[in-house]
Structure formats: C-alpha cells, structure tokens
Amino acid sequence: MKIIIFDELDSTNNYLKDNFSTYENETVIRALKQTNGRGRFDRVWKSYNDLTFSILFKKSFPHHFIAPLAVHFSFINEKLNSIIKWPNDILVDGKKVCGILIERIFDNKISNDIVGIGINIEKRDDYNYLSKYNIDERKLLEKVLNMYKYFISLSISELKKYYIDNCNILNKEVLFNEKKYKVKDVNDLGELVITDGLNYKVINANEIDYTTMVISK
Ligand code: BTN
C-alpha cells in the first residue's frame, strides 16, 4: 500500500472523498495533524499528535470486520491489552483508543470504500490515549497495513470467526427500544442478531448507538 503523508488535513476521510479519483486503489492518506476529524454519527473526532489515516479501496471488502481486526491484532502484537467493541471501536485496558469510520462513495456505479482509522497516541484530557506505551507511530501504521493485507485475503466466514472471537459482544444483554435482548450472533454484514427469548431481530450499527445501550457484564 502506498502511503502519502500530509502535514495537516481537515480530515483524511474528507480528503479522500474529494480526491479519490486521482488516487489508485489501496492508497493510504495520513495526516500528521488532523484539524476537523469526523467520527460515527457525525461526531467530532479530536486529534492531537495521533495516528490518523484513511485507506482508499476501489473495490468492496468486508471492512466492518477487516479494519477492527487489523488494528486489534496490531495492538496485540505491541503487547497491548486490546479488545474489539462492536461495531468497530478498539479498547485497550478497557478504554476506547481507536475509532474507525467506514464510508462508501459511488462513481459511475463503482464503489469506493474509504476506511478512516484514528488511534489516540498523545496524552490529553478528553479521550483515552496510548502515550504511556511508547508507540512508534510509523511502525504501528506499517503493522496495521500488513494486518490489513492478511485479513483481506480471508473468507467472510474466517473473518467473522476472528471478529466474534475478539469482540466482547456475544451473549451480552442490550437495551434496544427500551426492551432487553440478548446478543446471539453477528451476521456477515457485521449486524447484531438479538433475541428477547421469543423473536429474533437484526440491528445494524446505524440503528443503535452502542454507547447508549445497557450492556450486562
Ligand atoms: C468513531 O469512533 O466515531 C470513528 C472515528 C474515526 C476517526 C478517523 S481519524 C482518520 C479518519 N478521518 C476522519 O475524519 N475520521 C477518521
């Protein structure tokens, strides 16, 4: 994957959205400083001296599994106590230090996927961060991209198994529309299959904000 580094961008996802046609498949855009990062649900994603980058794919892959797995296994490789939190947050020592924003744009019916990854490195007051682990950002980026290449070669059933084995969601109780459900499965699209004991429902990451769900331990 070709890495292009900018000193400063508003958002690496925005940059690729505006310029995807000029870049080839699997181009990685990294901003040393990101001034107006975006998160899921249009939230602000604040960055300091962090690892913020986006990867352009001119073909679709199950990034909802691949991206969190690539970051999670890079963290495991760095000996961090990492776990995936559905749908695609990565927690270290139980705290979110990485967010992933996957966006799809169509150009003459051809889909272009933009996978934005933000890993909090620098110490700050508002979010959690990894500064105490002395992470080499350049090496961590290489690791994530190598893991990405590995996971992209796997089948959807292999990816799903890896994802479920490394995510803390199965059998958790969740509150959805003020009703309690248990998570029974994650389907190929990365959606939750939940049940109240009688009926099953499928909910996707846009229908439910995991931070507002009540989760039993
Ligand atoms: C989330 O947890 O809500 C997702 C956060 C994603 C942040 C990354 S940082 C690089 C890329 N550029 C953005 O504007 N957002 C993503």
Side-chain angles (χ1 to χ4, degrees):
M1 295 184 181
K2 186 175 174 190
I3 304 173
I4 299 172
I5 302 179
F6 287 83
D7 285 338
E8 186 174 318
L9 287 177
D10 62 338
S11 148
T12 53
N13 268 43
N14 288 353
Y15 178 80
L16 269 180
K17 268 185 154 177
D18 293 342
N19 298 286
F20 67 90
S21 54
T22 57
Y23 289 108
E24 58 190 40
N25 185 35
E26 298 193 355
T27 299
V28 180
I29 299 291
R30 178 180 175 195
L32 297 179
K33 190 168 179 212
Q34 185 174 250
T35 53
N36 200 11
R38 290 184 293 110
R40 296 177 56 233
F41 300 105
D42 274 331
R43 290 187 184 122
V44 171
W45 181 264
K46 272 202 200 162
S47 302
Y48 299 79
N49 288 313
D50 293 328
L51 182 53
T52 48
F53 61 99
S54 301
I55 317 170
L56 171 67
F57 293 92
K58 302 227 160 181
K59 207 173 128 190
S60 278
F61 288 100
H63 296 292
H64 51 278
F65 291 145
I66 299 169
L69 285 170
V71 176
H72 168 67
F73 278 98
S74 302
F75 283 176
I76 295 283
N77 187 274
E78 293 274 349
K79 310 229 170 352
L80 302 180
N81 170 25
S82 170
I83 191 158
I84 299 171
K85 180 178 168 192
W86 182 85
N88 49 28
D89 292 342
I90 316 296
L91 314 185
V92 169
D93 302 330
K95 292 183 177 148
K96 175 170 174 175
V97 292
C98 170
I100 297 172
L101 181 65
I102 301 166
E103 299 184 292
R104 178 163 293 172
I105 35 177
F106 286 92
D107 179 33
N108 285 330
K109 293 197 181 139
I110 297 171
S111 80
N112 293 263
D113 289 346
I114 296 170
V115 179
I117 299 180
I119 300 175
N120 298 343
I121 308 281
E122 191 183 335
K123 191 173 184 322
R124 74 278 301 278
D125 295 327
D126 46 1
Y127 302 158
N128 308 305
Y129 49 87
L130 291 174
S131 67
K132 72 172 177 193
Y133 293 106
N134 290 322
I135 304 276
D136 179 326
E137 290 175 32
R138 198 182 48 80
K139 284 196 187 138
L140 180 60
L141 175 58
E142 290 291 341
K143 271 185 199 173
V144 173
L145 300 181
N146 284 331
M147 290 286 180
Y148 222 105
K149 277 190 222 147
Y150 170 71
F151 283 113
I152 232 167
S153 70
L154 299 188
S155 69
I156 188 79
S157 55
E158 288 168 316
L159 287 170
K160 186 177 139 176
K161 184 171 182 340
Y162 265 116
Y163 181 86
I164 287 176
D165 286 349
N166 290 279
C167 181
N168 59 355
I169 192 76
L170 274 203
N171 294 318
K172 288 275 162 77
E173 268 187 350
V174 298
L175 200 63
F176 180 58
N177 289 344
E178 293 172 18
K179 216 174 138 181
K180 263 192 186 176
Y181 294 85
K182 202 166 208 178
V183 178
K184 293 315 276 180
D185 199 7
V186 177
N187 69 14
D188 287 359
L189 298 173
E191 298 164 327
L192 292 186
V193 182
I194 58 174
T195 182
D196 58 4
L198 283 174
N199 301 308
Y200 283 81
K201 256 184 198 308
V202 174
I203 47 171
N204 70 44
N206 298 324
E207 283 178 286
I208 191 162
D209 177 356
Y210 186 27
T211 54
T212 63
M213 290 200 291
V214 175
I215 303 292
S216 67
K217 297 280 172 200

